[in-house]
């Protein structure tokens, strides 16, 4: 109960993660452009924005996978 009440339980709600990723990508067009032009580390700015919005309450690996997949599709 304590862990749940204080946000210590990791949630891998993919629909929530996808929503946050879309919002972060829209808010960081320069980072997206930099990533697409070959600057691999530019994705970290978007990743950080997503983690901040999700309050760290998701698997970093899952978030990275969804983020990179989404950015590569646009």
């Amino acid at each position: 109960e304590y862990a749940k009440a204080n946000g210590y339980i990791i949630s891998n709600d993919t629909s929530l993660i996808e929503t946050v990723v879309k919002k972060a990508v829209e808010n960081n067009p320069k980072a997206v452009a930099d990533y697409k032009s070959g600057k691999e580390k530019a994705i970290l700015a978007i990743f950080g924005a997503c983690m901040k919005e999700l309050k760290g309450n998701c698997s970093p690996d899952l978030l990275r996978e969804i983020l990179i997949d989404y950015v590569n599709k646009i």
Side-chain angles (χ1 to χ4, degrees):
E1 289 297 317
Y2 177 82
K4 193 173 197 177
N6 290 291
Y8 294 122
I9 296 180
I10 299 288
S11 169
N12 288 325
D13 180 355
T14 56
S15 63
L16 173 63
I17 294 170
E18 288 170 358
T19 301
V20 170
V21 164
K22 288 176 187 176
K23 181 179 171 186
V25 166
E26 289 172 8
N27 292 335
N28 294 289
K30 183 175 179 347
V32 172
D34 288 348
Y35 176 75
K36 288 191 162 239
S37 70
K39 296 180 182 173
E40 295 277 325
K41 290 189 177 192
I43 202 81
L44 295 177
I46 305 168
F47 182 86
C50 292
M51 283 301 260
K52 184 177 180 181
E53 180 74 23
L54 293 165
K55 297 181 176 122
N57 192 14
C58 73
S59 163
D61 294 334
L62 179 61
L63 173 58
R64 181 175 167 79
E65 180 183 323
I66 291 171
L67 175 59
I68 290 173
D69 186 51
Y70 182 75
V71 170
N72 287 332
K73 286 182 182 176
I74 58 172

